[in-house]
Amino acid sequence: DSAWPLAQRGLVRALTTMGKYDDAESAARRAASSARGREVANALGEALARRGKTQEAEQAFERSVAEHASDSLIAAMNLAVLHYERGERERAMKEFDRFIDVYNNSAGSLRADDLIAVAVACRYLGGDNPQLFKDALKAFDRAIQTAGDSPEADEARVRLGELFLEKYNSEDAQSTFDEVLRENASDPRALLGAARRASFDDQPGADSLLARALKVNPEYPEAHVFRAELFLDVEDYRGAEREAHRALQVNPTLS
């Protein structure tokens, strides 16, 4: 029925959140091979990208865009991010730039996930034009308002918190992560963000927040990378190497 795509995407998201990446990929592949598979192509791409399978992920994102899936704008954003991280910066920036027209021409009709895609694009474009960071903040705020109680609300909040932290605004970053954690104290990405914020402000608690994130998802590569950074700070090079190795086991393309 009409809820089937959302259920499949939710299943893949839940499995990924717990670090069950093989199960997430298998579920996404099954759904993507069905008659309505275009609606899960982006979810498949995200599952593949988590494992560093960038070529297959690119094909899945391209399918979502080409077949006009309902979440094709998110797929287009994921495709641009993939190109950017692969070193194809000029190509990626042109792809991100198209989201400005999307927002200007369709702002009133965009869903929460569409607004997240616009915000992410503005975040990358802000590297060349800092003014666009403000547009990213506005798009994230609109996404949160539009999402209501849907999972996209927390997705937007976590990304917004990460942007605040990137811009050295630790106070707003923490308040944004706190909003997510009040609703879901086990959100691993928000926990990692809060741990990074504590470390940034040289406050205690980063270790315990990181441990909570890894309890939910023991194979969370970004959490292992951050733990490696903490080990490096205290010159525990063996511990740092161990954590980096665990991250690369999940996604060998991490840098």
Side-chain angles (χ1 to χ4, degrees), residues 171-189:
E171 182 177 353
D172 284 338
Q174 187 59 50
S175 64
T176 307
F177 293 135
D178 284 343
E179 286 185 62
V180 178
L181 294 171
R182 276 195 294 270
E183 297 296 322
N184 179 8
S186 298
D187 187 302
R189 191 166 174 181

Side-chain angles (χ1 to χ4, degrees), residues 3-247:
W4 181 86
L6 293 178
Q8 298 304 311
R9 296 171 194 167
L11 173 61
V12 175
R13 183 187 299 118
L15 291 169
T16 300
T17 297
M18 295 185 294
K20 297 182 178 181
Y21 302 117
D22 289 339
D23 292 341
E25 181 181 334
S26 295
R29 285 189 184 278
R30 284 195 302 271
S33 66
S34 70
R36 299 176 65 189
R38 69 181 184 280
E39 294 296 333
V40 196
N42 176 66
L44 173 59
E46 291 178 342
L48 292 166
R50 288 295 292 170
R51 302 306 302 272
K53 301 176 181 180
T54 56
Q55 186 172 354
E56 289 182 273
E58 183 175 26
Q59 293 171 354
F61 295 143
E62 288 174 343
R63 177 190 177 191
S64 177
V65 173
E67 298 185 15
H68 306 289
S70 59
D71 59 348
S72 61
L73 202 59
I74 285 283
M77 179 270 290
N78 283 328
L79 196 57
V81 171
L82 187 152
H83 293 153
Y84 188 94
E85 294 180 348
R86 200 163 62 190
E88 301 173 41
R89 188 180 186 279
E90 184 177 352
R91 176 183 183 182
M93 296 305 275
K94 289 179 180 178
E95 292 169 335
F96 287 132
D97 194 56
R98 295 177 191 140
F99 283 82
I100 302 298
D101 292 335
V102 169
Y103 184 75
N104 290 336
N105 296 332
S106 311
S109 61
L110 294 178
R111 301 190 313 258
D113 57 348
D114 297 329
L115 289 163
I116 291 172
V118 170
V120 171
C122 288
R123 178 181 179 179
Y124 278 88
L125 291 168
D128 291 338
N129 181 1
Q131 182 64 31
L132 287 170
F133 285 122
K134 295 180 181 179
D135 291 331
L137 295 178
K138 292 177 184 177
F140 277 133
D141 283 338
R142 284 202 57 197
I144 294 167
Q145 294 169 5
T146 303
D149 295 329
S150 70
E152 284 73 22
D154 282 348
E155 170 76 10
R157 287 190 181 98
V158 170
R159 288 181 180 269
L160 176 59
E162 291 169 345
L163 178 57
F164 279 135
L165 199 53
E166 180 184 312
K167 299 289 106 187
Y168 309 110
N169 183 347
S170 61
E171 182 177 353
D172 284 338
Q174 187 59 50
S175 64
T176 307
F177 293 135
D178 284 343
E179 286 185 62
V180 178
L181 294 171
R182 276 195 294 270
E183 297 296 322
N184 179 8
S186 298
D187 187 302
R189 191 166 174 181
L191 287 166
L192 175 59
R196 288 189 179 277
R197 197 285 311 165
S199 178
F200 174 81
D201 286 334
D202 200 24
Q203 292 181 352
D207 288 342
S208 60
L209 288 162
L210 190 56
R212 286 168 58 190
L214 286 167
K215 185 176 181 180
V216 178
N217 181 355
E219 304 301 327
Y220 190 3
E222 289 80 4
H224 285 292
V225 168
F226 181 54
R227 180 173 273 179
E229 293 171 1
L230 295 180
F231 279 133
L232 285 174
D233 287 342
V234 295
E235 299 184 1
D236 183 350
Y237 302 116
R238 183 172 296 179
E241 182 180 6
R242 181 182 65 249
E243 294 300 318
H245 180 67
R246 287 200 66 175

